[in-house]
Amino acid sequence: MSFPSDFSGHSDKQAILIRDLPTPCFVINRKQFEENSKKMLENSSKYLNCSFRCHVKTHKTTEGVRLQLHGKTDKVVISTMAEVKGLEPLIEEGLINDIHYSLPTPKCVFPELYALQKKVKNLRIMIDDIDQIKSLIEFSKENSIENKWSIFVKIDMGTKRAGFPLESEELDEFLTFALTDEESKKYISIYGVYCHAGHSYSSRSEEEAKDRLLDEIEAANTGALRALKIDPELKLILSVGATPTAHSSELLQNGYANKLSGELELHAGNYCCCDLQQVSTKCVSIESVSARVYAQVCSTYKNRGQLAPGEQLINSGVLALARESSAFPGFGNVVSPTGHGDWIVGRVSQEHGILVPANKDTECKFFSYGETVGIVPQHACIAAACYPYYYIVDDWSEGKVVDIWVPWRAW
């Protein structure tokens, strides 16, 4: 006599290993990701005696944000409204109570921001143009919104990407309107001053990154003083940081010496993953990088190129690795398997990458056809963007996949 269980079959538990994954793929070392996150939280409290606001844009996953928060902060930065939907479980759990939408506010997202205002305890938005708050005021009047919009005033740190120039008539005009116009006072509340030294990515030492951090703090403080001249009763947050400057905070062993005109807050985003751009600042080592792209060797071209033994083609190009740069040449460093010398991704097209020896001083051996190679990308935020999911490991050498994280993509 047969039983139903005889036909069900049994599977042996078998680990999925990196070498068996489809390529290209994006892999995160969870233990290193968590270690990086804990260290940044410690930096803010130990060296700057301030709170920390974590940016979620690098990985855009619920699991990753949970590790970034680590029960030590409830404040995050977002870049897209799509990120809000991914954060909703953490908002409902009470782990996130303060969200800053960091893009200078486009008019098209006003309705979404208003909806978010009802879900999260505190919503902050970025302002760097007087027309933004004038439009917010009109939107509030048209929709009978009584709650004030809590805003960060963005200061341009010299990169000319976003923000008011610190010494400008535009900043004075904005602050005067925001703090004295009756309708503005009814609908707008200045929460703080926000600075981001994006050019600190070009730092080549931790000391240089520290100087950029001090620049951020001084700029935020100066901006706050400009506002306090108009309204001395303001209580402001001075939010500063970029991953290199945030890492360099450990050099401020005795904290920040000068008196500030507001409460300091540190923010950063790339630190949980890191990449070659961060390694090039010398604020972190390549061992601290928690994200890799894995690709497969497709072709070998003996004696092609300028360096021996030649070149190899992999199935990872611009869409898998990005076309970013740093002090390191190429578009990614091959870090596994070891024993083949120093290879880099020297050229990329849409889906192709070309491995070349890093320099003439290294003796390189070809990888086998079909071999999976691990690559540290130049910029993890951009490299991660095209992947529908990330494979998670706890140990690079063991290579066992322990989880899959699904990022919130698009806008």
Side-chain angles (χ1 to χ4, degrees), residues 52-88:
F52 184 71
R53 183 183 294 272
C54 54
H55 208 315
V56 306
K57 72 181 179 67
T58 296
H59 57 91
K60 301 175 186 275
T61 64
T62 306
E63 297 90 340
V65 176
R66 195 181 292 276
L67 294 177
Q68 285 181 281
L69 298 172
H70 205 69
K72 302 292 186 181
T73 184
D74 63 354
K75 302 188 293 185
V76 301
V77 190
I78 63 172
S79 291
T80 68
M81 297 310 296
E83 291 164 24
V84 172
K85 291 181 173 59
L87 294 175
E88 284 181 353

Side-chain angles (χ1 to χ4, degrees), residues 305 307 310-312 342-347 354-359 364:
L307 299 175
E311 300 179 340
Q312 293 191 285
D342 295 330
W343 291 84
I344 64 172
V345 183
R347 305 191 301 279
I354 304 299
L355 300 185
V356 302
N359 55 67
C364 290

Side-chain angles (χ1 to χ4, degrees), residues 162-225:
F164 291 105
L166 190 58
E167 303 296 337
S168 67
E169 293 182 4
E170 289 84 0
L171 177 58
D172 287 335
E173 180 187 356
F174 170 80
L175 291 173
T176 300
F177 177 81
L179 294 170
T180 63
D181 180 85
E182 290 304 317
E183 284 195 331
S184 177
K185 290 192 292 182
K186 181 178 179 181
Y187 295 108
I188 303 294
S189 174
I190 296 182
Y191 178 69
V193 180
Y194 193 97
C195 296
H196 171 76
H199 56 298
S200 64
Y201 276 50
S202 63
S203 300
R204 294 297 172 256
S205 70
E206 197 170 10
E207 189 69 29
E208 188 179 347
K210 184 201 73 174
D211 290 341
R212 301 290 80 75
L213 171 61
L214 296 177
D215 290 343
E216 288 175 324
I217 296 173
E218 288 294 334
N221 194 52
T222 301
L225 287 170

Side-chain angles (χ1 to χ4, degrees), residues 26-65:
F26 196 83
V27 180
I28 290 177
N29 184 315
R30 183 171 59 185
K31 285 187 176 180
Q32 188 61 56
F33 185 108
E34 184 174 16
E35 183 179 325
N36 294 348
S37 300
K38 289 169 64 177
K39 182 180 179 182
M40 190 59 76
L41 287 163
E42 290 168 1
N43 276 12
S44 60
S45 60
K46 184 176 181 180
Y47 302 117
L48 289 177
N49 190 30
C50 71
S51 60
F52 184 71
R53 183 183 294 272
C54 54
H55 208 315
V56 306
K57 72 181 179 67
T58 296
H59 57 91
K60 301 175 186 275
T61 64
T62 306
E63 297 90 340
V65 176

